[in-house]
Amino acid sequence: AAGETGGNVFRSKGAVSDELFKVLAEGMARLHTMPPCVELGDLTPSIRTEEWKLTIPQSVKRYIEEWLGMYLRETHNPSPSLMSLYGWLLANVPRADGNPVLLHGDIGFHNMLVEEGRVSVVVDWEFAHVGDPAEDLGYVKNIIGDADWDKLMRFYRAAGGPEVDPVRLHFFQVWAHVRNASASNLALGAFEAGKHDNLKLVHSGHFHFPVFM
């Protein structure tokens, strides 16, 4: 697909047009209002037929537990701070009505290719899973900050996206950083264990991890 990314996992490259905000918001709303995608079957550990039958809090708790289990199981650099954050998350999974939905898991301008002001494709779906629509929203708010949040939410709600309360949003802002900190830590662990030889994994572990924390 043609185009360039509109930023990185920490921020957009520059001023974002209303049109791009609208495209991002409407894309999330469309994803979050799809019916259960049972036709995907047991596609990944986080997209399974049984997931669609869970409540949203049950789905959230299971996903976080999967990440914690992977972090403890694989080679990693021990972090008491990260473990305490996992404890807080599992003890404070917010209530939510409705059914879990399909999430991108890493949505934002860093995973959208933009050409001449228009989005050509959304990439990087390896974090896709079933869960709370507030998770994608919290992830995006970490990237765009408060200044443009109301604008994005107006587009999201106008496109049919569900309403999300501030408690759920805050929870998933924390989770977004914890998940990315875990991934960065595990990337460095994989390099140290000799599973991969890509120096980008070293950069991720040494630079990205403290930023997310």
Side-chain angles (χ1 to χ4, degrees):
E4 297 180 350
T5 57
N8 59 37
V9 72
F10 301 110
R11 64 189 64 85
S12 61
K13 283 183 177 177
V16 180
S17 68
D18 284 0
E19 183 61 30
L20 286 184
F21 271 124
K22 188 175 181 181
V23 168
L24 175 59
E26 290 181 347
M28 288 192 295
R30 181 180 179 187
L31 186 65
H32 298 164
T33 53
M34 289 172 55
C37 301
V38 292
E39 67 273 16
L40 294 177
D42 295 335
L43 184 64
T44 72
S46 303
I47 301 178
R48 294 174 290 184
T49 303
E50 62 186 52
E51 294 283 338
W52 306 104
K53 302 175 184 177
L54 301 176
T55 66
I56 289 179
Q58 287 172 335
S59 180
V60 170
K61 188 171 185 289
R62 176 177 289 192
Y63 187 61
I64 294 174
E65 287 175 339
E66 287 177 0
W67 266 92
L68 176 58
M70 178 170 60
Y71 173 76
L72 294 174
R73 185 174 61 251
E74 301 294 336
T75 303
H76 65 276
N77 292 283
S79 170
S81 297
L82 189 58
M83 289 302 298
S84 70
L85 285 166
Y86 269 108
W88 180 86
L89 288 162
L90 291 172
N92 291 278
V93 175
R95 297 178 58 184
D97 297 324
N99 300 313
V101 301
L102 184 64
L103 306 175
H104 180 279
D106 196 12
I107 193 70
F109 297 113
H110 61 298
N111 279 331
M112 299 167 65
L113 296 187
V114 180
E115 184 181 36
E116 297 181 355
R118 305 187 69 176
V119 174
S120 59
V121 69
V122 177
V123 299
D124 269 4
W125 288 80
E126 73 270 22
F127 286 135
H129 62 282
V130 181
D132 189 332
E135 182 175 342
D136 274 345
L137 294 172
Y139 198 91
V140 169
K141 189 172 184 182
N142 283 347
I143 298 171
I144 69 172
D146 294 326
D148 297 305
W149 179 248
D150 290 342
K151 180 191 302 182
L152 182 87
M153 285 306 294
R154 284 197 299 271
F155 289 135
Y156 178 77
R157 295 285 288 138
E163 188 171 353
V164 174
D165 65 76
V167 172
R168 286 166 66 195
L169 190 64
H170 172 73
F171 177 90
F172 286 110
Q173 286 185 266
V174 175
W175 167 238
H177 289 315
V178 170
R179 202 279 310 276
N180 283 343
S182 302
S184 299
N185 193 312
L186 291 170
L188 178 58
F191 183 89
E192 291 174 339
K195 294 180 179 179
H196 301 282
D197 60 2
N198 190 334
L199 286 175
K200 288 183 178 180
L201 301 183
V202 179
H203 174 76
S204 179
H206 284 293
F207 174 74
H208 288 158
F209 178 77
V211 175
F212 288 127
M213 290 301 294

